[in-house]
Amino acid sequence: MVTLEEIVSLCKRRGFVYPTSDIYGGLMSSYDYGPMGAELLRNLRTIWWKAFIHDRSDMVGLDSQILLHPQTWVASGHVGSFNDPLVEDSKTNKRYRADHVIEAWLTMHPDPTVVVEDMTIDQMGEYIAAHKIISPEGNALSKPKTFNLLFETKLGVVEGEKSTLYLRGETAQGIFTNFRNIVDSNRVQLPFGVGQIGKSFRNEITTGQFIFRTIELEQAEIEYFFDPEISDWQELFTAWKNAMWTFVTDSLGVSASHLRWRRHTDKERSHYSKDTYDLDYQFPFGWKELWGIAYRTDYDLTQQAKHSGADLSYVNPVTGKKIIPHVIEPAAGINRLFLMVLTEAYTQEEKRIVLKLNSKLSPYKVAVFPLVANKPELTQKARGIYTELKKSLSVAWDDRGNIGKRYLAQDEIGTPWCVTVDYATLEDDAVTVRDRDTTKQERIPISGLIAYFQQKLL
């Protein structure tokens, strides 16, 4: 299996991901997405939006602000309980998550009776002390304490008159606070959902694992509203689980053998949730959450209504019955989807590294080359093909080095097809099309190229 180090190396070498502020030594748990990464992210968002918003008649989209009224986060419980268990190295003062420290220790000292997710913060402290667990630097650890993950900021210019705000810790609350607006301005009826893709921020304790856990992240969240007296929540829950699984396996091309469902235990599950599952993927560093789904009852709308004084109820247009809808929430991390598809696609062969991405995800669909760069007649012909294909596809141009090196470069960024203009092209008006995965080549008339690729991309 590919290692995380190999993924990181490829990402920087081929322009997928760079360390943020690299020239200043970087910033903890922060990354920028380069030209290839920006395209892959964009394709992920587009495919997700099409599958869960455009292709469904019971869904609408939203784009809410990053900065919301601070009472939003009081109502949601984030100000009071959006915490991680923090321990500190007694000598270096480096901070770690207590549960992650215990999990790392358990990999060397397996104990199937220990369920870290079920531990309270006091129990974590007792376990660390009883087993004399030390920090990665080999030093004693402090007792665990709670650490709030919300980023706090200020609104205003005059010191003393500034209002406290928070960078949102999740995108979901913008959906709940807009529930009334959405119902009043759109012809939606229960059951219906609202989807959103956007940035969230978490003051993470832990570092490492590349883009899996970062302080700035992108989420794709859905809140699916329904009347529990009319719709069976378990049927809706199962339907959403199936939709999530199908999206990852069919739309993103991930092997089912690398996926699993993990149900939260009663102790781990949030107090307002009746059921919660994680869809886990087998990353290079183990099984980790990719996508979560929870039945959150009417907790969120009730809390926001209570703290704001607004009426967030729904009136059935047929019966006139007034209710606070219940909600099922599937929430995915776009950055984790990104890391998953790179991990899944990374293939080491004898003479090359190739990213066998689903072609709909690939940053470029086609690359166009002249066989020899310094031959004007070949370059001119290839440029014409490049310009024409670019009208309907994302296309790369490359005339550097020899043809073999160009193929290898496109293999590493996952370009499905390469088009080469050679001397025969000047005679027969056809080109050589090379397939990324098989390396097989076939001759295609220039006039049929667009139709050829469009058929492949269906």
Side-chain angles (χ1 to χ4, degrees):
M1 186 178 183
V2 61
T3 66
L4 186 60
E5 290 72 21
E6 288 171 327
I7 293 288
V8 173
S9 176
L10 175 71
C11 281
K12 188 167 185 181
R13 183 171 71 252
R14 292 302 180 191
F16 282 95
V17 183
Y18 309 131
T20 293
S21 306
D22 199 17
I23 62 172
Y24 293 103
L27 181 67
M28 182 189 75
S29 298
S30 301
Y31 296 90
D32 298 330
Y33 290 80
M36 296 303 100
E39 292 296 330
L40 178 53
L41 275 179
R42 178 175 174 274
N43 292 338
L44 275 170
R45 296 185 198 108
T46 299
I47 292 172
W48 184 93
W49 197 268
K50 183 179 186 302
F52 294 108
I53 309 297
H54 287 171
D55 288 354
R56 296 181 61 118
S57 59
D58 58 349
M59 291 290 301
V60 295
L62 183 73
D63 188 353
S64 66
Q65 291 288 288
I66 287 172
L67 295 173
L68 305 178
H69 192 286
Q71 280 299 308
T72 303
W73 305 108
V74 175
S76 68
H78 283 77
V79 171
S81 59
F82 190 43
N83 302 316
D84 274 344
L86 166 72
V87 290
E88 287 191 13
D89 183 299
S90 59
K91 292 186 178 180
T92 67
N93 297 121
K94 288 184 178 180
R95 295 177 167 186
Y96 303 94
R97 278 208 11 203
D99 54 335
H100 290 176
V101 169
I102 295 172
E103 286 172 353
W105 189 84
L106 285 169
T107 60
M108 303 298 293
H109 309 83
D111 184 348
T113 65
V114 177
V115 181
V116 182
E117 292 84 0
D118 288 350
M119 288 183 172
T120 65
I121 192 168
D122 289 337
Q123 289 171 334
M124 289 181 192
E126 292 168 1
Y127 193 89
I128 289 171
H131 294 84
K132 296 181 172 58
I133 299 175
I134 56 178
S135 75
E137 284 77 23
N139 304 314
L141 292 167
S142 68
K143 288 184 178 180
K145 58 184 178 182
T146 58
F147 178 81
N148 193 280
L149 300 179
L150 280 180
F151 269 103
E152 188 176 305
T153 186
K154 301 290 183 180
L155 177 66
V157 295
V158 180
E159 197 64 43
E161 298 180 6
K162 294 180 180 179
S163 300
T164 297
L165 293 179
Y166 302 96
L167 300 182
R168 65 182 178 192
E170 64 177 24
T171 60
Q173 296 307 317
I175 296 176
F176 296 125
T177 56
N178 274 296
F179 178 77
R180 176 86 272 138
N181 291 328
I182 293 168
V183 171
D184 288 347
S185 61
N186 293 265
R187 299 178 66 82
V188 291
Q189 294 185 29
L190 295 180
F192 74 90
V194 182
Q196 176 169 214
I197 296 177
K199 293 291 184 71
S200 296
F201 302 82
R202 298 183 180 180
N203 197 7
E204 291 283 0
I205 300 166
T206 57
T207 60
Q209 297 180 337
F210 195 33
I211 57 172
F212 180 82
R213 191 182 303 280
T214 53
I215 59 177
E216 178 183 330
L217 59 145
E218 192 166 14
Q219 293 180 295
E221 292 196 280
I222 292 168
E223 305 304 328
Y224 196 76
F225 301 98
F226 65 97
D227 182 342
E229 293 186 7
I230 296 176
S231 301
D232 184 328
W233 76 265
Q234 290 176 311
E235 289 183 4
L236 291 176
F237 199 84
T238 299
W240 276 107
K241 284 179 64 181
N242 291 339
M244 293 159 62
W245 185 278
T246 299
F247 178 78
V248 174
T249 55
D250 293 3
S251 298
L252 302 186
V254 173
S255 171
S257 64
H258 298 154
L259 299 168
R260 72 177 186 188
W261 286 109
R262 187 184 72 82
R263 191 179 193 182
H264 285 209
T265 65
D266 290 343
K267 290 183 179 179
E268 179 188 5
R269 191 175 65 247
S270 301
H271 66 88
Y272 50 77
S273 172
K274 278 197 172 182
D275 207 0
T276 301
Y277 277 80
D278 288 342
L279 179 57
D280 291 347
Y281 176 74
Q282 193 173 22
F283 288 98
F285 39 84
W287 289 98
K288 296 290 181 180
E289 179 191 353
L290 176 75
W291 205 331
I293 180 170
Y295 171 28
R296 299 171 66 101
T297 67
D298 61 355
Y299 173 80
D300 298 282
L301 287 179
T302 298
Q303 285 294 104
Q304 295 297 345
K306 175 183 175 181
H307 283 260
S308 67
D311 182 4
L312 298 181
S313 61
Y314 173 87
V315 178
N316 187 308
V318 177
T319 66
K321 185 177 76 168
K322 187 175 184 179
I323 66 162
I324 297 293
H326 284 215
V327 69
I328 288 172
E329 179 191 76
I334 292 291
N335 313 88
R336 293 184 179 186
L337 293 177
F338 182 103
L339 182 57
M340 174 192 67
V341 297
L342 285 183
T343 302
E344 190 75 10
Y346 189 104
T347 306
Q348 176 75 61
E349 297 183 354
E350 184 179 353
K351 295 182 178 180
R352 65 173 187 157
I353 294 169
V354 55
L355 275 186
K356 295 187 177 181
L357 293 166
N358 180 319
S359 57
K360 293 179 181 178
L361 288 171
S362 299
Y364 293 121
K365 310 310 178 196
V366 182
V368 178
F369 315 143
L371 179 63
V372 182
N374 59 357
K375 297 296 181 182
E377 63 272 30
L378 296 182
T379 300
Q380 183 178 356
K381 191 74 171 179
R383 276 289 183 186
I385 294 170
Y386 167 78
T387 301
E388 193 60 30
L389 289 177
K390 205 166 173 60
K391 293 176 182 178
S392 55
L393 298 168
S394 55
V395 186
W397 170 267
D398 194 352
D399 59 1
R400 301 165 301 169
N402 64 54
I403 193 72
K405 289 183 178 179
R406 288 182 238 162
Y407 283 149
L408 293 177
Q410 294 301 322
D411 288 343
E412 286 200 357
I413 63 173
T415 305
W417 303 284
C418 292
V419 171
T420 301
V421 173
D422 53 29
Y423 292 105
T425 304
L426 304 178
E427 303 295 330
D428 62 8
D429 232 25
V431 293
T432 299
V433 177
R434 173 186 179 270
D435 182 270
R436 175 197 66 198
D437 295 345
T438 65
T439 71
K440 290 182 178 179
Q441 300 181 5
E442 58 180 314
R443 202 74 179 166
I444 304 293
I446 293 173
S447 60
L449 277 177
I450 292 177
Y452 174 85
F453 292 127
Q454 288 177 339
Q455 179 65 32
K456 291 278 189 181
L457 289 165
L458 287 178

